[in-house]
């Protein structure tokens, strides 16, 4: 395992379990404790972990923080409803719609119930459940369940998405930095999101105004991969100028 692969593995364990122990990492990876401590010290210098005696934790306020779906739904609720209504207006009867996991895309799924016939592809178990009572063709990607977000991730999800051709993708993100791109706290989630982007004819980022100029740990795609952004009217003027400067269509609700 290469150094960066090992460090990424350590970050993934912290993201999953909230902590790592030097002794356990040394045993499972077959690496000396001195090397593991150096890895943790390096990650702490980057602000990605908080060193403790015998191990490390995810630091508060860091790019590793991954709120649950329930927590996300309580944040910017009104704005997400407006974004969802605007998103539904971009959809046409009979289209294939891709939805990633998240509170904003869950709101979009509910708004899409006004349609009679759609094909909806998603990696979100809760979104599939939301649409179970409709006449839509609902396709779940399959994959490993991330209980925190009710999303399916991993190679199986990515393989299915490579065979999908969707008319439109609604992509919710944790951070949108016009210089860097769209980001999320989870590496596996970012890979699935990236596969979705490659499968869609039109890519629409749906994010409330608090997400701009925020960076999370894992890059999904650069901003040039996005065609349209739907956000709320609290977006700052400098954010509007940055998006327009990239040639991205902006819908403000």
């Amino acid at each position: 395992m290469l150094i960066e692969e090992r460090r990424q593995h350590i970050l993934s364990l912290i993201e999953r379990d909230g902590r790592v122990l030097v002794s356990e990492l040394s045993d499972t990876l077959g690496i000396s404790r001195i090397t593991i401590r150096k890895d943790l010290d390096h990650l702490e210098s980057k602000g990605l972990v908080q060193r403790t005696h015998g191990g490390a934790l995810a630091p508060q306020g860091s790019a590793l923080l991954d709120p649950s779906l329930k927590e996300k739904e309580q944040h910017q609720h009104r704005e997400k409803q407006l974004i969802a209504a605007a998103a539904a207006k971009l959809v046409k009867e009979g289209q294939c719609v891709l939805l990633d996991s998240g509170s904003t895309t869950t709101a979009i799924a509910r708004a899409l119930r006004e349609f009679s016939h759609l094909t909806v592809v998603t990696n979100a178990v809760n979104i599939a459940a939301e649409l179970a009572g409709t006449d839509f063709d609902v396709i779940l990607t399959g994959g490993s369940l991330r209980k925190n977000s009710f999303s399916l991730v991993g190679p199986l999800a990515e393989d299915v998405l490579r065979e999908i051709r969707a008319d439109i993708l609604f992509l919710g993100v944790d951070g949108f930095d016009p210089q860097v791109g769209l980001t999320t706290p989870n590496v596996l989630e970012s890979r699935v999101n990236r596969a979705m982007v490659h499968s869609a004819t039109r890519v629409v980022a749906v994010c409330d105004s608090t997400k701009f100029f925020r960076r999370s740990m894992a890059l999904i795609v650069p901003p040039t991969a996005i065609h349209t952004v739907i956000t709320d009217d609290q977006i700052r003027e400098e954010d509007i100028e940055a998006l327009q400067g990239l040639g991205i269509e902006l819908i403000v609700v």
Side-chain angles (χ1 to χ4, degrees):
M1 185 180 288
L2 299 174
I3 293 175
E4 288 306 316
E5 290 178 324
R6 187 174 68 242
R7 290 171 178 172
Q8 186 60 65
H9 175 70
I10 291 171
L11 288 174
S12 297
L13 291 176
I14 293 177
E15 181 180 343
R16 186 190 71 188
D17 302 329
R19 67 166 189 165
V20 290
L21 298 175
V22 171
S23 57
E24 290 181 357
L25 287 171
S26 177
D27 292 342
T28 57
L29 297 177
I31 302 294
S32 72
R33 296 189 181 192
I34 292 175
T35 300
I36 296 298
R37 291 190 186 98
K38 287 181 179 179
D39 285 341
L40 295 179
D41 289 341
H42 172 80
L43 293 173
E44 183 180 46
S45 72
K46 301 292 185 182
L48 296 175
V49 305
Q50 177 185 336
R51 286 286 272 121
T52 62
H53 180 69
L57 303 170
Q60 290 298 309
S62 78
L64 286 172
L65 289 182
D66 190 10
S68 69
L69 182 62
K70 185 176 181 180
E71 291 170 330
K72 289 180 178 180
E73 285 182 332
Q74 297 171 355
H75 179 67
Q76 303 290 103
H77 178 75
R78 174 184 171 276
E79 288 80 1
K80 289 173 182 176
Q81 299 306 308
L82 294 173
I83 290 169
K89 292 179 180 178
L90 300 182
V91 177
K92 297 179 181 178
E93 201 75 58
Q95 285 189 322
C96 178
V97 180
L98 256 175
L99 295 173
D100 84 320
S101 64
S103 55
T104 305
T105 47
T106 298
I108 293 172
R110 292 167 183 157
L112 292 178
R113 288 175 178 162
E114 66 185 58
F115 289 86
S116 299
H117 176 63
L118 292 175
T119 298
V120 176
V121 183
T122 184
N123 71 322
V125 175
N126 68 298
I127 287 178
E130 288 279 353
L131 299 176
T134 69
D135 291 328
F136 298 170
D137 292 324
V138 180
I139 300 172
L140 266 174
T141 61
S144 300
L145 178 65
R146 287 190 65 228
K147 296 177 183 179
N148 196 44
S149 62
F150 297 104
S151 63
L152 299 171
V153 297
L156 179 58
E158 294 169 38
D159 287 346
V160 168
L161 287 164
R162 289 190 187 99
E163 308 213 355
I164 296 291
R165 290 296 174 266
D167 295 295
I168 190 166
L169 162 65
F170 293 109
L171 181 64
V173 297
D174 290 88
F176 193 148
D177 187 321
Q179 295 181 342
V180 175
L182 288 70
T183 55
T184 182
N186 186 275
V187 174
L188 294 176
E189 195 86 55
S190 73
R191 292 177 62 90
V192 171
N193 290 161
R194 193 176 307 125
M196 287 181 168
V197 170
H198 293 157
S199 297
T201 300
R202 184 178 185 181
V203 180
V204 182
V206 288
C207 48
D208 65 75
S209 57
T210 65
K211 302 295 178 64
F212 291 102
F213 279 96
R214 280 175 49 181
R215 297 183 188 180
S216 201
M217 185 181 73
L219 177 67
I220 301 171
V221 288
T224 51
I226 305 302
H227 301 109
T228 305
V229 169
I230 307 177
T231 191
D232 62 81
D233 60 7
Q234 297 304 303
I235 184 173
R236 300 178 304 175
E237 189 62 37
E238 52 263 46
D239 296 335
I240 292 175
E241 292 175 0
L243 294 172
Q244 292 177 339
L246 291 166
I248 297 173
E249 177 189 21
L250 181 62
I251 299 174
V252 179
V253 297

